Amino acid sequence: MSGPARPAVALVGVHGYGRRHVDRLLARREGGEIDLVAVADPVPPDGALEGVQRFSDLTDLLAAHEPDVVVVSTPLHTHADLAGTALRAGAHVLVEKPATADLPSFEALLALAGETGRWCQVGFQSLGSAAVQHVRDRVAGGRIGTVTGYAAAGCWVRTHSYYARAPWAGRRRLDGRVVADGALTNPLAHAVATVLAVAGSQRLEDVRAVETDLFHVNDIEADDTSTARIALADGLDVLVAVTLAAAEPGEPSVTVTGTGGSITLFYTLDTVVEEVPGRPPRVTRHERVDLLDDLLDAVRTDRRPRSPLQDAGGFARVQDAVVSGPEPRAVPGEFWVRHDLPGGDVHRQLPGVEEAVHEAVTRRRTFTELGLDWARAAHR
Ligand SMILES: NC(=O)c1ccc[n+]([C@@H]2O[C@H](COP(=O)([O-])OP(=O)(O)OC[C@H]3O[C@@H](n4cnc5c(N)ncnc54)[C@H](O)[C@@H]3O)[C@@H](O)[C@H]2O)c1
């Protein structure tokens, strides 16, 4: 045992997705597993946190408390500073995904985690699933022959209200800082992180090159309909195709293709489908560990957690390519359809984008390489 029996935990960012962390932390406090010592947010919390000391920023919180673990759930371009501050104060960190908004911040945070000897766990919750290791074991066991490539696909819907909720939403940069809130790097970031995990290519040095092909259907600066080809150091590549302008949300997936079949992980469901010609598909479901519980256990038992910062290096390379590569291109209005939703919200749908995503990952082509009408028009 190298950590306290009832660790002191603090939370930074209590609204938005932070609300989920509030619920999890209150449940663990109720169960006697942690002490929730304080929260930090410039916007006051609501009634659920009555009795928990509140600060408007993390520095003030750390002047008054010495938490064992700090959970950071704030806008993504604030993560590097806040996680760094918590590490320097001697805390282990669970930082929401993406860990940082740009590669220099990632490298600095990685160095700091090394210097302080503290864990910085990144909140890619799909990496808490035993399904990832299952896929790797099946592939290593030769179930689909020799691997020929990896793919990730995701078709989700994000409406106007999603982008209107915060000033950083849908931005590539804000006030001179990189934000990188596009489909590949934020809403569907798990697709990228999970396919790199399945490929065993999570570290900075595992990704050799990244080609991006970015579009937006919504009136945003960042991408919402994108493909990327990721060249791995082992010579294989990953094709990622995603959209936030689908007709309706579908289940995102990552696939390993081999000479003798394929294995697909539906990473929000922890479900794996193995397909080998001549045999019925083999479907398995797997346990998932919450990444805060995993971090607390890792600290207590002195082991490596499931999603440490070093394993977000491959993702950081993809993120860097997205922000430093060509700007996303606007898909002209004649190709998408506007749906007015109750309450004044608006959904922009790109008809046929689901088929385009499917084509991209099966033919291993970017949207531009597929010669799609809307992609060609966006290039004009
Ligand atoms: N793991 C997932 O599935 C998942 C899902 C959604 C969002 N997220 C991530 O959660 C994070 C937060 O997203 P969001 O949509 O809730 O953002 P948000 O803009 O709604 O902000 C969250 C909270 O952070 C607070 N905040 C802002 N700056 C702060 C600071 N310097 N110190 C303390 N508090 C501060 C805000 O007041 C707000 O309460 C992002 O990194 C996002 O990518 C993860």
Side-chain angles (χ1 to χ4, degrees), residues 26 46 104 183 234 288 312 314 319 325:
L26 290 175
D46 58 24
D234 67 7
R288 179 187 289 212
Q319 187 189 44

Side-chain angles (χ1 to χ4, degrees), residues 27-363:
R28 281 156 187 77
R29 181 178 72 169
E30 191 74 13
E33 297 150 49
I34 62 158
D35 274 336
L36 178 56
V37 290
V39 299
D41 196 308
V43 180
D46 58 24
L49 284 167
E50 221 163 277
V52 177
Q53 206 177 355
R54 181 219 153 202
F55 296 85
S56 56
D57 79 50
L58 177 61
T59 307
D60 292 346
L61 185 156
L62 293 172
H65 293 276
E66 288 181 28
D68 300 297
V69 172
V70 172
V71 179
V72 177
S73 183
T74 57
L76 60 90
H77 54 295
T78 65
H79 290 178
D81 285 350
L82 294 167
T85 301
L87 288 172
R88 267 187 229 101
H92 299 278
V93 171
L94 169 61
V95 61
E96 259 313 326
K97 55 80 192 163
T100 58
D102 59 71
L103 193 54
S105 312
F106 179 84
E107 287 172 328
L109 193 63
L110 190 59
L112 188 60
E115 280 160 31
T116 57
R118 294 291 181 268
W119 289 114
C120 181
Q121 171 106 301
V122 185
F124 285 118
Q125 67 266 31
S126 52
L127 304 187
S129 177
V132 172
Q133 192 56 47
H134 171 80
V135 175
R136 294 185 60 171
D137 291 346
R138 300 289 292 179
V139 170
R143 304 289 169 165
I144 55 166
T146 304
V147 174
T148 54
Y150 303 92
C155 295
W156 275 0
V157 173
R158 289 291 180 266
T159 61
H160 176 76
S161 62
Y162 175 82
Y163 293 112
R165 82 186 195 289
W168 59 276
R171 300 300 302 264
R172 280 166 75 77
R173 289 178 185 80
L174 186 65
D175 303 331
R177 297 180 70 176
V178 175
V179 174
D181 187 24
L184 284 168
T185 48
N186 201 18
L188 283 157
H190 289 89
V192 175
T194 310
V195 76
L196 291 174
V198 159
S201 298
Q202 289 171 282
R203 300 203 168 216
L204 277 168
E205 61 273 20
D206 295 332
V207 168
R208 200 166 44 78
V210 183
E211 263 174 78
T212 59
D213 186 36
L214 312 179
F215 300 88
H216 60 89
V217 173
N218 288 284
D219 189 13
I220 55 172
E221 185 188 17
D223 60 294
D224 59 32
T225 298
S226 307
T227 39
R229 183 180 287 113
I230 307 167
L232 304 176
D234 67 7
L236 291 169
D237 68 27
V238 181
L239 200 297
V240 185
V242 295
T243 184
L244 303 174
E248 52 188 45
E251 272 311 326
S253 61
V254 310
T255 300
V256 191
T257 304
T259 49
S262 66
I263 302 183
T264 297
L265 163 57
F266 294 93
Y267 63 79
T268 70
L269 303 175
D270 306 313
T271 297
V272 175
V273 180
E274 187 175 309
E275 292 178 282
V276 170
R279 291 203 212 133
R282 182 178 186 275
V283 180
T284 53
R285 295 199 172 73
H286 303 266
E287 293 296 315
R288 179 187 289 212
V289 177
D290 176 279
L291 291 179
L292 174 65
D293 295 339
D294 175 67
L295 177 61
L296 294 172
D297 184 69
V299 171
R300 196 168 51 242
T301 60
D302 207 10
R303 65 162 174 85
R304 192 176 198 270
R306 290 204 188 190
S307 179
L309 191 61
Q310 32 282 71
D311 288 358
F315 178 88
R317 286 243 183 266
V318 176
Q319 187 189 44
D320 182 54
V322 166
V323 280
S324 53
E327 298 286 314
R329 294 168 186 276
V331 174
E334 66 262 35
F335 292 96
W336 48 261
V337 178
R338 174 189 168 118
H339 300 288
D340 289 291
L341 307 176
D345 204 358
V346 174
H347 167 203
R348 288 188 183 182
Q349 181 212 345
L350 183 59
V353 74
E354 294 81 357
E355 291 76 14
V357 165
H358 180 74
E359 282 279 286
V361 294
T362 48
R363 293 179 54 198

